[in-house]
Amino acid sequence: MKRIGIGVLTGCLALAMATGALAEQKEQVNVYENNNLVKSVVFIEGRSEYFVDGNTPGVKMDAAPYISQDRTFVPVRFLGNALGVTNENIFWDTETSKAKLVLGSRSAELTIGKKELLAGSQAKTMDVAPELKNARTYLPARFVAEALGYQVDFVDGLVVCYPEGTEKPDVKAVKQYLQEPQQQGETYNLNGYTVPKDLKTGITISDSKINSVEIKLGIIIPKEDVQAQCDEAEQILASKLGNEFAKKVVDVARTKTTQLVQIGEHFTGPNGEHVMVQSSWGGVTTSIVIWGKEGNN
């Protein structure tokens, strides 16, 4: 069997795929117009997309909300953006692990691990504390939204935020959008892998030939340890390699929590494929490369 320089192979693939391939995603929407809050913002557990005023499709996020201790947690930047807080008004103090969001005359200040929120100058006790997960800060959506002038209801699995003192919004359009099968998007077959035509998270897919080696599938995850990107990569791998093997491979990619993490893991797939997960020390991308079968390369 001819041996291939794995580091060279994956390094070349990363360079080839990264050139001009990563389209910038819209990650923010201005929902604080003319000093009036919008009618509604909707979050869904496990979905990396939020909805403003019932408009579909929604605004894409690179991570999904999750439920912990019966509360919905959302990454701080996306929670702030969804509620109308610009990035310039989201503050993070590394020394104190404190996050602060400012929206007009209102503000919410929280600390990782502490069940206390400072809404303006008023201290309030919460039943949960902000969490650090995969090297990023998640805040309990209800408490932050209420501090910034919203009322929050849990409607048919949807977390619905709307201005306090107003009527509960109609979210039928969002519910219908979530129920429509076509919203899963069209797919195409790439060497036996089912790949969405509309990739949601910014990962890059390729089957380029590198140094005369035929790549069956190459995935570039462009940011550090982004949950939604790994989820999408795992779904693509599972379409051919099975859920268990796909999870084992992508769990290695999930360990890229900072640029200081170096990855270089090789697996043999269930059909004899070579599978390599690699990220360099100091790099911000992780590559998953699949090529050949035993005895072929």
Side-chain angles (χ1 to χ4, degrees):
M1 180 177 70
K2 182 172 65 177
R3 294 187 177 275
I4 301 169
I6 292 174
V8 174
L9 175 63
T10 52
C12 290
L13 177 69
L15 178 62
M17 293 173 63
T19 304
L22 300 180
E24 182 177 345
Q25 286 185 302
K26 180 181 178 183
E27 296 177 339
Q28 182 177 337
V29 62
N30 181 12
V31 299
Y32 193 71
E33 299 175 351
N34 301 322
N35 295 319
N36 293 314
L37 298 175
V38 295
K39 296 178 183 178
S40 67
V41 177
V42 175
F43 295 103
I44 302 99
E45 177 199 4
R47 191 179 186 96
S48 53
E49 184 179 20
Y50 64 83
F51 303 86
V52 177
D53 279 353
N55 294 319
T56 59
V59 180
K60 299 297 187 294
M61 301 183 283
D62 64 3
Y66 65 89
I67 292 179
S68 176
Q69 303 172 72
D70 294 325
R71 295 293 185 188
T72 301
F73 285 76
V74 181
V76 56
R77 181 168 65 86
F78 292 108
L79 177 59
N81 290 167
L83 298 175
V85 183
T86 62
N87 290 335
E88 293 75 17
N89 286 311
I90 300 175
F91 306 95
W92 172 254
D93 188 325
T94 303
E95 293 185 2
T96 61
S97 297
K98 186 174 295 184
K100 184 175 182 179
L101 298 85
V102 179
L103 180 62
S105 61
R106 294 176 178 265
S107 64
E109 188 172 320
L110 307 89
T111 304
I112 295 291
K114 291 189 176 181
K115 296 181 178 181
E116 183 178 84
L117 176 147
L118 192 62
S121 59
Q122 184 178 2
K124 296 185 177 182
T125 300
M126 303 182 293
D127 56 9
V128 293
E131 297 181 355
L132 192 64
K133 183 178 180 181
N134 295 329
R136 67 190 304 167
T137 301
Y138 287 77
L139 303 181
R142 174 180 292 275
F143 294 107
V144 174
E146 290 177 346
L148 297 180
Y150 289 88
Q151 185 169 331
V152 181
D153 283 323
F154 198 67
V155 181
D156 296 333
L158 310 178
V159 179
V160 183
C161 311
Y162 56 100
E164 57 189 15
T166 65
E167 292 185 5
K168 185 181 298 185
D170 185 349
V171 294
K172 289 180 181 176
V174 174
K175 291 168 64 175
Q176 181 178 352
Y177 170 81
L178 296 173
Q179 292 170 358
E180 292 175 355
Q182 62 267 29
Q183 296 303 332
Q184 298 299 320
E186 296 182 12
T187 62
Y188 65 96
N189 184 292
L190 181 62
N191 296 324
Y193 297 89
T194 301
V195 180
K197 290 184 177 179
D198 179 21
L199 294 165
K200 303 296 185 183
T201 64
I203 65 174
T204 304
I205 305 296
S206 175
D207 62 345
S208 304
K209 180 176 287 189
I210 304 296
N211 291 347
S212 76
V213 177
E214 183 181 356
I215 302 300
K216 300 298 184 183
L217 181 72
I219 302 176
I220 293 293
I221 300 172
K223 296 181 181 179
E224 299 176 31
D225 191 34
V226 176
Q227 185 73 21
Q229 291 172 338
C230 286
D231 288 347
E232 191 166 33
E234 185 174 330
Q235 183 179 10
I236 293 169
L237 291 181
S239 67
K240 182 176 181 179
L241 305 180
N243 293 331
E244 184 177 349
F245 184 78
K247 182 180 186 305
K248 182 168 64 172
V249 171
V250 176
D251 277 352
V252 174
R254 295 182 197 277
T255 64
K256 182 70 174 182
T257 54
T258 73
Q259 289 180 236
L260 304 183
V261 174
Q262 183 174 358
I263 301 173
E265 292 286 338
H266 177 266
F267 301 89
T268 300
N271 307 306
E273 303 91 344
H274 298 289
V275 183
M276 183 69 189
V277 185
Q278 183 169 2
S279 183
S280 63
W281 188 93
V284 296
T285 63
T286 302
S287 59
I288 301 175
V289 186
I290 304 174
W291 73 98
K293 292 186 178 181
E294 294 291 346
N296 291 344
N297 289 300

